[in-house]
Amino acid sequence: MHMDKGLDHTIIGESTKSFIDGQKGILEFNGIDIDALARHSTFEEVTFLLWNDRLPNADELAAFEAEIRSEYELGPELLDMLRLVPRDASPMHVLRTMVSAMGTTDPDCNDQSFESERAKAMKVLAKTPAIIAAFSRLRKGEEPVAPKPDLNVATNFLWMLNGEMPGEASARAIDVCLVLHADHGINASTFSAMVTIATQSDMYSALTSAIGTLRGPLHGGANERVMHMLQDIGSIDKVDGFVAESLASKSKIMGFGHRVYKALDPRAKYLRTFAEKIADETGNHDLYAMSTRIQDIMEREVGDKGIYPNVDFYSATTYFSLGLEIDLFTPVFALSRNAGWAAHVLEQHQDNRLIRPRCQYTGPHGSDYVPIEER
Ligand code: ACO
């Protein structure tokens, strides 16, 4: 027995999904470099890759896309439930609740076969964009927009969100963000999904656990905090003072640091270029300039401690420039990570062992039970 608080030094199993070299800043999905996937692939293709451990041929990809699109619709029961959610609820709480609710509308929710768990994962993956978009509209007093089954996930999401067809560049930008966020080894949310399925629970419960875990600011919730931080700083001339004060008071700069990467997160490298292009095109250059200034100072001050921008830092500027509301940033992360969560849950399901760690007990022994009237 050894103690490893935070599990920094514990390998909890084997996986064929993603490879991370935190010292060199490398990320691969099934052996393919993330940069190549971001440049050439799509969210649908990457999901196929993660679920099947290989790239699809053209027919397989078309069939997989058709399967996802056939599940786009929320259906009346889920839509009715969504209408009951308080309008001022946080979208991550809404998403977690709705994915959990999907277990109540699926007659196969207790079928534990691999095929049934995969089918549940497909439903969650395909319907998550509709949940986020419909809630975003309902809280503004607008009616949900029906999905279009001839559109890919990214384009359809923007269509349902805004009720108008997005430009090709915006749709591709979202698609690339979905590719970059699709998987990342056994991170906190993936681990919580695996712990859940390892008790022979079900895919809806596993993905509900994962969404709850993702929303924390030390994990996926950081992208929203990055945006609030940039807004609080306000202008580039205030960046130096803000970073200096934060470092002096030991406050974390959101979007920096990573448990595994001690070099630049390869996803942040790609997103930085992307964020610049989109910020320039949409008149948000100041945001980008503030971000690069923060990165320069952080590299100078704490680069030797291995603290670099992570995936959340430049995705915040990218999403904001694309017009997404700030509290939808983390739900969009979840939309994408459904692919990786499900891949690892299915992997665990195929070679399961209950995950049950131990802790070092530090309390007393042999204590007397004192009757309540004597306490
Ligand atoms: N800003 C300033 N200093 C930092 C930061 C940061 N963002 N991150 C780490 N450090 C410093 C710590 O203060 C600590 O310094 P010390 O050794 O002098 O005390 C040292 O680096 C180690 O930090 P830990 O928090 O112990 O490292 P850990 O591996 O637990 O942290 C984490 C990883 C949680 C991501 C952390 O870097 C952090 O809180 N970052 C900000 C939140 C964030 O961006 N989260 C998103 C992560 S990516 C993702 O989940 C999708």
Side-chain angles (χ1 to χ4, degrees):
M1 284 288 185
H2 71 285
M3 187 157 77
D4 183 12
K5 201 172 171 185
L7 300 180
D8 302 36
H9 307 289
T10 301
I11 291 175
I12 63 116
E14 293 177 335
S15 174
T16 55
K17 305 305 169 190
S18 48
F19 168 78
I20 304 167
D21 184 329
Q23 299 300 327
K24 294 190 184 138
I26 295 172
L27 171 62
E28 297 170 346
F29 294 168
N30 291 97
I32 305 176
D33 194 83
I34 192 66
D35 199 67
L37 291 169
R39 284 175 204 281
H40 307 298
S41 191
T42 62
F43 178 59
E44 287 82 346
E45 188 178 58
V46 162
T47 305
F48 184 101
L49 172 69
L50 290 167
W51 290 11
N52 297 280
D53 289 340
R54 62 178 178 82
L55 288 171
N57 66 29
D59 288 347
E60 288 171 327
L61 181 59
F64 193 68
E65 286 171 347
E67 196 186 348
I68 298 176
R69 292 171 192 202
S70 71
E71 291 286 353
Y72 275 172
E73 287 274 356
L74 278 185
E77 276 174 309
L78 289 173
L79 256 181
D80 284 351
M81 287 192 215
L82 198 52
R83 288 181 196 282
L84 295 175
V85 170
R87 297 284 173 268
D88 58 353
S90 142
M92 278 302 274
H93 288 292
V94 176
L95 182 60
R96 190 195 59 236
T97 304
M98 292 307 296
V99 170
S100 178
M102 285 173 67
T104 67
T105 62
D106 185 345
D108 296 327
C109 66
N110 291 325
D111 178 347
Q112 292 183 321
S113 65
F114 180 86
E115 292 67 33
S116 175
E117 299 300 5
R118 184 194 174 282
K120 290 169 200 152
M122 178 58 87
K123 283 191 204 318
V124 176
L125 181 106
K127 293 185 199 309
T128 293
I131 294 170
I132 301 169
F135 179 68
S136 161
R137 294 183 68 84
L138 285 168
R139 70 179 175 177
K140 289 185 273 190
E142 296 166 354
E143 270 304 291
V145 170
K148 279 184 188 280
D150 53 326
L151 301 178
N152 68 13
V153 170
T155 315
N156 183 50
F157 172 59
L158 291 176
W159 155 252
M160 291 187 294
L161 194 65
N162 302 318
E164 55 190 50
M165 281 300 286
E168 234 173 79
S170 302
R172 179 60 191 155
I174 291 287
D175 199 22
V176 172
C177 289
L178 298 184
V179 167
L180 289 171
H181 287 81
D183 193 38
H184 205 234
I186 311 299
N187 52 82
S189 53
T190 303
F191 184 54
S192 68
M194 288 168 62
V195 170
T196 304
I197 201 71
T199 67
Q200 295 185 349
S201 183
D202 66 287
M203 183 62 81
Y204 295 120
S205 301
L207 297 178
T208 302
S209 303
I211 295 167
T213 307
L214 184 74
R215 70 172 284 274
L218 297 188
H219 192 12
N223 56 13
E224 297 180 14
R225 300 290 182 102
V226 169
M227 201 58 233
H228 289 301
M229 176 183 78
L230 293 173
Q231 288 179 329
D232 288 347
I233 298 172
S235 57
I236 193 149
D237 54 302
K238 307 223 173 75
V239 165
D240 293 45
F242 174 84
V243 177
E245 265 173 46
S246 303
L247 291 178
S249 63
K250 288 235 159 229
S251 326
K252 299 263 177 81
I253 306 279
M254 287 290 126
F256 279 81
H258 199 276
R259 178 58 66 79
V260 183
Y261 291 118
K262 300 303 166 200
L264 184 61
D265 181 333
R267 302 165 299 174
K269 190 156 81 185
Y270 192 89
L271 275 166
R272 176 177 164 149
T273 322
F274 215 60
E276 180 177 22
K277 185 167 163 282
I278 293 163
D280 280 346
E281 281 168 12
T282 54
N284 285 297
H285 185 79
D286 290 357
L287 269 183
Y288 176 77
M290 278 165 66
S291 306
T292 54
R293 179 78 194 141
I294 296 174
Q295 183 178 349
D296 290 346
I297 304 171
M298 287 293 279
E299 265 174 30
R300 192 184 69 212
E301 299 297 326
V302 289
D304 60 343
K305 283 169 82 177
I307 302 169
Y308 289 94
N310 57 51
V311 69
D312 287 322
F313 191 60
Y314 285 105
S315 63
T317 315
T318 307
Y319 292 148
F320 188 81
S321 300
L322 288 169
L324 286 187
E325 294 158 282
I326 296 174
D327 62 1
L328 299 188
F329 292 6
T330 316
V332 171
F333 189 157
L335 187 170
S336 161
R337 189 54 64 81
N338 276 323
W341 288 331
H344 289 276
V345 168
L346 293 171
E347 198 174 37
Q348 178 76 26
H349 182 274
Q350 280 179 302
D351 181 21
N352 192 38
R353 179 166 170 78
L354 177 73
I355 300 172
R356 193 348 184 148
R358 307 265 287 273
C359 69
Q360 181 73 51
Y361 175 71
T362 56
H365 294 281
S367 310
D368 289 334
Y369 177 80
V370 180
I372 195 159
E373 56 278 6
E374 292 174 25
R375 283 178 227 159

